[in-house]
Amino acid sequence: MIYQTKEELLIMAKQAEGKTFGEIDKSGRIKNEKSKGNLGQIIEESYFGYEVNSDQSPDFKNLGIELKVTPIKRNKNGTISAKERLVLNIINYHEEVDKDFESSSFWQKNKEILMMFYEWKPKIHKSLYRIVKAHLHHFSPEDLEIIKQDWKIINDKIRAGLAHEISEADTTYLGACPKGSSKKSLRSQPYSDVPAMQRAYALKQSYMTALVRQIIGKDKLVKISKADVLRKKTIYEILEEKFRPFKGMSLDEIASKTGIKINYRSKSFLQEFISGLLGIKGTKLNQVEEFAKSNLQFKTVRLEPDGLPREHMSFKNVDFDSWVRESWEDSWLKNYFEENKFMFVVFHYKETKAENPNRKLYFKGITFWNMPISEIEGRLKEFWEYVKNLLIQGVDLRPVKQKNGKVAVKNNLPKKNFNGLCHLRPKGKDGSDKIRLPDGQMITKQCFWLNREYIGDICKNIK
């Protein structure tokens, strides 16, 4: 069926709201558990009445509208989120390299997207999943400028013969995600003989979650940048400019100048500091549109006078059962560092604690970082494989009597001197806060840490 106007198409789409896939399906496709992507195909064929195809044009060609069927989920805290990124079209490196943004396959296919959101629920058959919202998505002027910057980053790597080094963490809203059954899904690229992972354009899960919360949850977000500014500067350059006037100041000086109450021992210190310096005091970081939609993670770094952080940098506690069960390609560790960019908010001391117990903390600046693919596939993968082998063989837990007479349990999990990048170490309420290892032994909860020397090297580029 050909829809003559966008209004006609949207009226039809809205009529699907509240219906289950079982009610919509006329083809029996819902019964085929092995058919990938069949929920989208059910909407295409059984609801909108057109045949599934792999055409490079938008699904509703005469209207220039692409159709996407995508899941949301309800979280334990009552919020809603996108369950996954929104995968768009596959990138043909040889064709895309000669395009500009307006002629790119991304823009030609995805200028307008009819998004059909359905609610995913665990442990129910997909025939019971229900359409909750039909939304015709137009990119806002601000979003579009950031997406143009993202597209250029991806295309610049293709033009440089570095398609094999593309990472989702390179970009802000628009990613280039792996698309294939395994790491063997490789494609040739121009200007290099190195095969590159097949990738597709995708709107990141963070972008989709913010969108879902705006459309369905009616969340209000605060913008810190305008489209006319974003045409000249990246969001990272804008953030750098906003923080630059405070470089070199002590926290007391910043508090005096801005009126921010600064208590760096508070758990909410980083959030209060960033929102205060951005001029949006009292606004949570997840209420800032550019942060909510991006994959940007925030970390505080406090450097000693020798330029090294006093502590290693912690991330999440380890799920050892998942570590054993998952492949490297599906692992949290690989995907987390491949998908996320970090903004390090860096402070430094001018004196050691021994020299001055009441020493002041000074703001050094911010720096943006994401782990290079070569590092992810190098030392990080080496670390992950080493831990997995240990877990399969059984972790060696040994009681060791300390000088104070107490008994500590030592283990042979990789320590900070393993490969210079990362290690595991305890992070629980106390020594009795334990989890079960795959072999049945109990161990104090362990956390993933990046080595402080590695973080110190990243922060060296702040002048």
Side-chain angles (χ1 to χ4, degrees), residues 125-188:
H125 192 268
K126 55 190 174 183
S127 62
L128 299 176
Y129 293 162
R130 194 176 299 276
I131 303 291
V132 294
K133 188 73 175 178
H135 168 73
L136 185 56
H137 183 63
H138 308 85
F139 294 104
S140 71
E142 290 80 12
D143 284 6
L144 186 55
E145 292 306 321
I146 291 175
I147 285 171
K148 285 179 179 179
Q149 294 167 7
D150 290 340
W151 181 87
K152 185 176 185 301
I153 289 168
I154 296 166
N155 210 42
D156 282 350
K157 279 202 169 180
I158 300 172
R159 289 179 178 179
L162 298 173
H164 57 288
E165 293 187 7
I166 291 173
S167 167
E168 286 187 82
D170 292 336
T171 52
T172 308
Y173 294 171
L174 179 68
C177 70
K179 182 67 173 173
S181 57
S182 71
K183 63 181 180 181
K184 295 180 181 178
S185 301
L186 300 175
R187 295 290 180 268
S188 64

Side-chain angles (χ1 to χ4, degrees), residues 210-272:
L211 200 62
V212 163
R213 290 177 179 176
Q214 286 178 300
I215 296 167
I216 301 174
K218 306 300 182 184
D219 281 12
K220 302 295 183 185
L221 299 177
V222 176
K223 282 187 172 74
I224 58 171
S225 52
K226 301 296 182 184
D228 57 341
V229 177
L230 285 164
R231 291 188 189 101
K232 302 170 186 175
K233 301 171 186 175
T234 68
I235 184 63
Y236 306 111
E237 289 170 335
I238 292 169
L239 287 170
E240 172 64 35
E241 284 186 2
K242 288 182 179 290
F243 282 88
R244 188 176 299 141
F246 305 97
K247 282 187 176 183
M249 290 187 183
S250 70
L251 290 187
D252 291 340
E253 291 171 328
I254 292 172
S256 176
K257 189 169 184 177
T258 62
I260 308 170
K261 291 182 180 179
I262 294 178
N263 176 11
Y264 68 89
R265 299 186 188 281
S266 164
K267 288 184 178 180
S268 60
F269 161 71
L270 184 59
Q271 177 168 283
E272 293 166 358

Side-chain angles (χ1 to χ4, degrees), residues 64-81:
I65 294 174
E66 178 74 354
L67 172 67
K68 287 295 176 184
V69 179
T70 187
I72 67 168
K73 63 179 181 178
R74 298 193 183 274
N75 305 311
K76 290 180 181 179
N77 63 2
T79 61
I80 54 175
S81 299

Side-chain angles (χ1 to χ4, degrees), residues 227-460:
D228 57 341
V229 177
L230 285 164
R231 291 188 189 101
K232 302 170 186 175
K233 301 171 186 175
T234 68
I235 184 63
Y236 306 111
E237 289 170 335
I238 292 169
L239 287 170
E240 172 64 35
E241 284 186 2
K242 288 182 179 290
F243 282 88
R244 188 176 299 141
F246 305 97
K247 282 187 176 183
M249 290 187 183
S250 70
L251 290 187
D252 291 340
E253 291 171 328
I254 292 172
S256 176
K257 189 169 184 177
T258 62
I260 308 170
K261 291 182 180 179
I262 294 178
N263 176 11
Y264 68 89
R265 299 186 188 281
S266 164
K267 288 184 178 180
S268 60
F269 161 71
L270 184 59
Q271 177 168 283
E272 293 166 358
F273 183 82
I274 293 174
S275 61
L277 266 57
L278 290 176
I280 49 173
K281 188 168 64 172
T283 301
K284 294 181 178 179
L285 297 184
N286 61 6
Q287 294 173 327
V288 177
E289 185 162 334
E290 292 86 344
F291 297 160
K293 288 183 175 179
S294 75
N295 57 339
L296 196 60
Q297 306 295 320
F298 303 95
K299 288 284 188 180
T300 307
V301 181
R302 297 184 181 94
L303 301 177
E304 292 293 325
D306 62 1
L308 291 177
R310 186 175 183 180
E311 299 174 341
H312 305 292
M313 182 174 285
S314 66
F315 291 83
K316 67 178 282 187
N317 277 9
V318 174
D319 180 344
F320 288 114
D321 287 330
S322 295
W323 202 304
V324 170
R325 185 175 63 249
E326 294 171 343
S327 67
W328 165 243
E329 297 301 320
D330 296 328
S331 67
W332 168 83
L333 203 58
K334 176 183 186 292
N335 289 305
Y336 181 76
F337 284 104
E338 194 168 78
E339 294 171 10
N340 288 293
K341 185 185 287 287
F342 296 85
M343 179 173 131
F344 292 156
V345 183
V346 185
F347 304 89
H348 71 111
Y349 294 106
K350 296 182 179 180
E351 308 159 286
T352 66
K353 198 166 187 177
E355 291 170 336
N356 182 1
N358 300 314
R359 59 187 180 161
K360 290 184 177 181
L361 194 59
Y362 294 83
F363 177 54
K364 187 174 178 67
I366 61 172
T367 189
F368 299 96
W369 171 84
N370 58 275
M371 190 177 285
I373 288 292
S374 58
E375 189 75 277
I376 292 172
E377 292 296 332
R379 289 192 289 179
L380 191 67
K381 184 178 181 181
E382 173 194 28
F383 166 83
W384 181 87
E385 289 177 335
Y386 182 86
V387 173
K388 183 167 185 174
N389 288 332
L390 270 184
L391 294 172
I392 292 171
Q393 294 166 11
V395 176
D396 183 13
L397 298 178
R398 297 181 184 178
V400 177
K401 193 170 184 179
Q402 298 178 305
K403 291 180 180 179
N404 59 9
K406 292 183 179 181
V407 176
V409 179
K410 302 293 183 182
N411 64 64
N412 61 339
L413 293 170
K415 306 299 186 287
K416 63 179 182 178
N417 57 355
F418 174 72
N419 66 4
L421 175 68
C422 56
H423 62 281
L424 295 179
R425 62 188 300 195
K427 191 179 182 185
K429 296 175 183 176
D430 52 42
S432 63
D433 192 8
K434 297 178 182 289
I435 57 168
R436 190 178 301 277
L437 290 165
D439 63 5
Q441 297 184 91
M442 299 299 293
I443 190 172
T444 305
K445 287 182 178 178
Q446 301 287 310
C447 179
F448 174 83
W449 303 73
L450 286 178
N451 288 10
R452 69 190 189 101
E453 293 82 3
Y454 185 74
I455 298 300
D457 281 340
I458 294 167
C459 297
K460 281 181 180 177

